[in-house]
Amino acid sequence: MAMLEINDIHTYYGNIHALKGISLTVEEGEIVTLIGANGAGKTTTLRTISGLLTPREGSISYLGNDITGVPAHDLVYQRMAMVPEGRGVFAKLTVQENLEMGAYSRNDKEGIARDFERVFELFPRLKERRKQVAGTLSGGEQQMLATGRAMMTSPRLLMLDEPSMGLAPVLVDAVFDAIVEINKEGTTILLVEQNALMALSIANRGYVLQTGQIVLHDDAAALKQNEMVQKAYLGMD
């Protein structure tokens, strides 16, 4: 049984048919990536899975349970977390307070304390800036904070939407190193990323989206060698 199974999802924005029969699976322990151009439906897919959008057709199963249409705040209690595009930190709260907000659904004090240390090990910059107001952090630091805040929910499934967007190359490497480490520690990852080469370099499998439909699915290594993927997403002639 897959940890996450999406079956023939159709999602609309008003009359706009954004997802046209998306089906995909994520097995426990995997890193799975969704790649595609702007407007392909990657963010819409994550928003539908996480309960921010409700599909008109199709079903979503998580840990064997049907979660189609379950609101996002309820899925947090089922240990599903998403780091949204654009980070979305609480700008007027400190780093420490942002991380505490991530743990609002929990009451295991010892576990919360362990996860604080885990986040600070993954992102030492956050420990240095724990009393700093989040709105004054750099873009890369805010991405680290948004990821750390999601980790404070103790997720079994972590979804990340464009974590490298707008970051300097050295910070992109740091964020992707952290994603790999988070996965090694047992968290399953579903990654939306426009930097297809980086995404496929750390993923087990990948799906290629075009105009709301999956046009290709394969092991990440095979996708890197695929001629269409190389031309369209990896900048190779």
Side-chain angles (χ1 to χ4, degrees), residues 112-176:
I112 291 170
R114 280 197 304 271
D115 284 342
F116 260 112
E117 291 310 309
R118 182 184 182 202
V119 168
F120 289 146
E121 286 173 12
L122 283 169
F123 303 114
R125 289 183 187 220
L126 296 184
K127 188 170 187 177
E128 295 168 8
R129 291 159 172 74
R130 63 193 303 168
K131 300 300 182 185
Q132 189 169 327
V133 174
T136 66
L137 299 174
S138 71
E141 290 162 351
Q142 288 189 18
Q143 184 63 54
M144 294 173 188
L145 179 56
T147 305
R149 185 182 61 196
M151 292 306 298
M152 290 303 298
T153 69
S154 187
R156 290 185 64 175
L157 174 65
L158 177 64
M159 297 182 288
L160 299 114
D161 193 358
E162 303 285 8
S164 77
M165 182 178 287
L167 301 189
V170 66
L171 291 177
V172 171
D173 289 343
V175 168
F176 271 79

Side-chain angles (χ1 to χ4, degrees), residues 42-96:
K42 305 185 303 294
T43 292
T44 302
T45 300
L46 290 195
R47 288 173 62 84
T48 302
I49 295 167
S50 64
L52 295 170
L53 295 171
T54 301
R56 288 193 193 174
E57 300 176 43
S59 63
I60 305 168
S61 174
Y62 172 61
L63 298 175
N65 300 313
D66 187 350
I67 60 165
T68 315
V70 174
H73 59 270
D74 286 340
L75 291 176
V76 173
Y77 290 92
Q78 297 187 42
R79 299 180 66 189
M80 178 189 290
M82 184 168 84
V83 180
E85 181 182 358
R87 297 145 201 153
V89 300
F90 298 107
K92 294 184 178 180
L93 300 183
T94 65
V95 167
Q96 176 91 16

Side-chain angles (χ1 to χ4, degrees), residues 11-19 56:
T11 299
Y12 290 73
Y13 291 103
N15 292 322
I16 299 171
H17 195 177
L19 298 184
R56 288 193 193 174

